[in-house]
Amino acid sequence: MSNHVSLRHLRCFVAVARSGSFTAAAARLYMTQSSLTHVIQQFEEAVGVKLFDRSTRRVSMTEEAERYLAEAEQMVKRFDASIADLKAFASVQRGHLHIAAAASMIDYYLYKVIELFREQFPQITVSIRDAGAQQVEQLVAEGAIDFAVASRHRGLEDLLYTPLLADRYGVLVAAGDPLARSSAPLAWSELGPERYIGFSADTGIDSFLRKHARGFRQREGHRNEASSTTSLFSLLKSAGNYSVVPALTVQHGYAHKLHFRPLKSPQLMREICLISRRLRSLSPGAEAFLALLRQVLRDTPVPPHTRIAASAPSGKVNPS
């Protein structure tokens, strides 16, 4: 960046661009309107480009400004995230953790971690989000959350994916369904398109099936969909409906009336990872939370059709 352009110039540019008003942007930035106008003029002179067309009622961006806005916003967000990291790193005794996780991980593992964490670090609060895999990656990349425990969606270059566990894909049906009469592995080719309930495109499950279950035609075309496993459980109450989910999903309390059969030919596994930003240090609080997560992974019996990843501590494995 030019020596004549600072982060202050970028913040002012973004504020005016998003509000469409020097008056509103100045109020948001706690500046006088004349000071804000001066900063924007400095920016325009430094880069040699006019950024705004001004009228008596409205301020509009020039074509050059519209092209540059997204990049300017990213630089401001990255700077703010790095400062937040630095502040969070200062103390493990106080603060707040922002985490996102797959619903199945929250229900089987993370609630135990949070209980232990609250006992050991009562001054650190935790917010946990159950979001789609696509949104999770974006939240981590933008620094809106400290880390995530979820499956890979797009595999962003700025993110680091550390495998924690893997669970096998299978069919989930109501207990009274004909498919529930056996627990033996079921071939993908035995599944018909009728009554199949899929997942929305922003979820990790749908992304995985598109990449790895290419012969599974039910994932394409007209179908019923759920945006989360929570809504899926309600849709599966009626016999005849079925879905394809990873094995850890059935450990959720709402799934106790449903039946799971692993799939074969091919046997597919979901990988749950610790998702963090590459080249970014975690705060002491986040490191303490992850240490407890590793402890819980080590000490908790592993459900059927699930295995701990080689990069994580091994647990007491039940037969699959």
Side-chain angles (χ1 to χ4, degrees), residues 82-131:
S82 67
I83 295 301
D85 287 344
L86 188 59
K87 290 179 178 179
F89 198 80
S91 174
V92 70
Q93 297 303 321
R94 293 183 178 275
H96 189 86
L97 289 181
H98 296 271
I99 303 168
S104 54
M105 284 296 296
I106 297 171
D107 193 64
Y108 194 75
Y109 287 110
L110 289 183
Y111 85 91
K112 303 174 186 177
V113 180
I114 292 173
E115 287 180 356
L116 293 172
F117 190 78
R118 289 182 63 185
E119 291 175 2
Q120 297 185 26
F121 305 98
Q123 299 303 316
I124 302 179
T125 52
V126 178
S127 292
I128 189 162
R129 299 180 62 171
D130 168 16

Side-chain angles (χ1 to χ4, degrees), residues 207-261:
S207 175
F208 183 91
L209 293 179
R210 289 181 181 278
K211 293 176 182 176
H212 302 286
R214 297 183 183 277
F216 185 52
R217 297 183 181 275
Q218 287 86 325
R219 65 179 172 76
E220 301 172 347
H222 185 68
R223 66 181 188 182
N224 293 321
E225 288 186 348
S227 61
S228 68
T229 52
T230 303
S231 55
L232 175 69
F233 296 143
S234 297
L235 297 175
L236 290 178
K237 288 181 179 178
S238 302
N241 291 334
Y242 78 93
S243 189
V244 174
V245 300
L248 194 60
T249 302
V250 302
Q251 299 302 315
H252 195 290
Y254 290 126
H256 69 282
K257 293 184 179 180
L258 302 174
H259 184 79
F260 180 84
R261 289 184 66 179

Side-chain angles (χ1 to χ4, degrees), residues 88 92 97 117 124 146-147 282-292 294:
V92 70
L97 289 181
F117 190 78
I124 302 179
D146 294 276
F147 60 84
L282 291 173
S283 69
E287 291 284 9
F289 188 95
L290 292 177
L292 290 174
R294 296 184 184 99

